[in-house]
Amino acid sequence: MGLATVWFILIAVLWIGYFVLEGFDFGVGMLLPVLGRDDIDRRILINTIGPVWDGNEVWLIVAGAGTFAAFPEWYATMFSGFYLVLLVILLALIARGVAFEFRGKHDSDRWRRGWDRAIFWGSLIPAALWGVAFGNIIAGVPIDARHEYTGNLLTLLNPYALLGGLVTLGLFLLHGAVFLSLKTTHELRARARAVTLRLAPVVALVAVLFLAVTQVMYGKTVTLITSALAVAALLAGIGATIRHRDGWAFTATAATIILATGTLFINLWPNVLPSSTAAANSLTITNASSSPYTLLVMTWVAAIFLPLVLLYEGWSYWVFRQRLTRPPS
């Protein structure tokens, strides 16, 4: 296995980690106005992700940096072609991060409601647009012989990509609701479970439709198995929620995201950004990668520091594993 393939797999793992971890805190942010009946409820909901949300975003930073260093052609073409979409995502993430930090700086209901709206939209917009972006990466975009994007914003808003946006939006909402069932108690937990069960049929339907279309249009033999496993994991998560097994339900929704995202990357390989103009113009792990020496140095750096990051993040989740509850009235 060449180093370019190793780094393609590593970048896939980073995106999977980002979607699993950031997915549930996007879900919490989107559910803030739904489950938070008063300011105490909303404070508890925010506190469930307070110690980890910024750490979850590190996965995105590392995935972007890894792509830039390992596959500069992929990075350049994708970031120039998807510029407006990625700019909107970046602005939404900035607004969301500022809202978390500033929400409690002033004792005013109006002040807090304004920042709560920023958290809601700063969670919803990236949750949907990441699906749109990855839908286009899988389907391919117009790229000329110089590996330059030749489409426009409307090119990216095609039916398949929009369906992908609905899938990530729905999966992250469901993942967040299950996470809140795991992290809260009493009435908040009951409300989170109720939302999970209402969301589940719709999310399952959209996810099955997207995976089926992906399999028919871009699928490989092995992804038929991973797609089926993703659907099975989603159904298992719903069943675990019905049986009040919150830990198993969260594990199952995480597995759904892992398998679904893994399916997309398996379908993408050996391309990194297919061209819808001509197959010869596609970016692949071969023609988009850095030099072997660069990849070798990056591999040693990743081998040393990635386990340390994983250990630290795992420790953080362990320390803040307790459920949160309302203080006595």
Side-chain angles (χ1 to χ4, degrees):
M1 184 185 297
L3 287 178
T5 300
V6 169
W7 272 96
F8 177 83
I9 294 171
L10 183 55
I11 288 169
V13 170
L14 290 170
W15 278 108
I16 288 170
Y18 175 67
F19 285 155
V20 169
L21 298 176
E22 190 83 307
F24 71 73
D25 66 45
F26 281 154
V28 171
M30 289 185 281
L31 291 170
L32 195 62
V34 178
L35 298 179
R37 301 287 175 82
D38 56 26
D39 186 61
I40 295 176
D41 280 351
R42 290 188 287 274
R43 183 69 260 173
I44 292 171
L45 297 176
I46 292 171
N47 285 346
T48 63
I49 59 173
V52 297
W53 70 266
D54 48 353
N56 294 341
E57 290 190 350
V58 171
W59 289 77
L60 172 62
I61 296 169
V62 177
T67 303
F68 172 76
F71 299 101
E73 286 274 359
W74 183 13
Y75 183 94
T77 304
M78 182 172 62
F79 273 73
S80 60
F82 295 11
Y83 178 78
L84 286 176
V85 172
L86 295 175
L87 177 62
V88 171
I89 291 174
L90 177 62
L91 292 176
L93 292 175
I94 291 172
R96 182 171 176 267
V98 171
F100 282 133
E101 298 296 334
F102 278 79
R103 184 185 186 276
K105 298 296 185 183
H106 181 56
D107 187 15
S108 164
D109 288 340
R110 183 178 179 184
W111 172 271
R112 287 189 288 266
R113 283 196 301 271
W115 290 118
D116 287 346
R117 284 192 288 271
I119 293 172
F120 172 79
W121 289 108
S123 301
L124 185 148
I125 290 171
L129 289 185
W130 281 129
V132 173
F134 269 83
N136 280 289
I137 290 173
I138 300 303
V141 293
I143 301 174
D144 63 18
R146 296 179 297 173
H147 294 161
E148 293 182 1
Y149 177 76
T150 58
N152 53 43
L153 179 61
L154 293 179
T155 306
L156 302 178
L157 302 179
N158 57 80
Y160 177 76
L162 293 175
L163 180 60
L166 287 177
V167 170
T168 52
L169 180 67
L171 282 178
F172 293 166
L173 263 173
L174 187 67
H175 196 39
V178 172
F179 176 77
L180 290 174
S181 299
L182 180 64
K183 289 289 292 180
T184 57
T185 61
H186 303 109
E187 189 179 350
L188 263 179
R189 181 189 178 199
R191 271 185 253 147
R193 289 189 68 256
V195 167
T196 299
L197 295 175
R198 285 198 295 269
L199 283 172
V202 178
V203 174
L205 179 63
V206 175
V208 168
L209 176 61
F210 177 74
L211 289 171
V213 172
T214 301
Q215 185 63 34
V216 170
M217 296 178 65
Y218 314 108
K220 300 174 181 177
T221 302
V222 66
T223 56
L224 184 60
I225 299 172
T226 57
S227 297
L229 290 173
V231 173
L234 182 56
L235 295 177
I238 297 169
T241 299
I242 294 172
R243 297 193 305 273
H244 297 261
R245 303 294 298 273
D246 299 327
W248 284 110
F250 182 74
T251 301
T253 54
T256 302
I257 295 172
I258 291 169
L259 289 163
T261 310
T263 296
L264 297 182
F265 274 96
I266 292 170
N267 285 329
L268 183 61
W269 188 88
N271 294 317
V272 292
L273 190 60
S275 171
S276 60
T277 306
N281 298 342
S282 295
L283 291 168
T284 68
I285 61 171
T286 302
N287 65 21
S289 67
S290 294
S291 68
Y293 180 74
T294 300
L295 295 177
L296 180 62
V297 172
M298 290 174 59
T299 302
W300 279 107
V301 171
I304 294 169
F305 289 103
L306 186 58
L308 298 176
V309 173
L310 292 175
L311 286 172
Y312 176 76
E313 188 153 10
W315 175 81
S316 299
Y317 275 90
W318 176 256
V319 169
F320 295 104
R321 66 188 182 278
Q322 294 85 1
R323 291 180 183 267
L324 302 182
T325 189
R326 284 181 68 102
S329 303

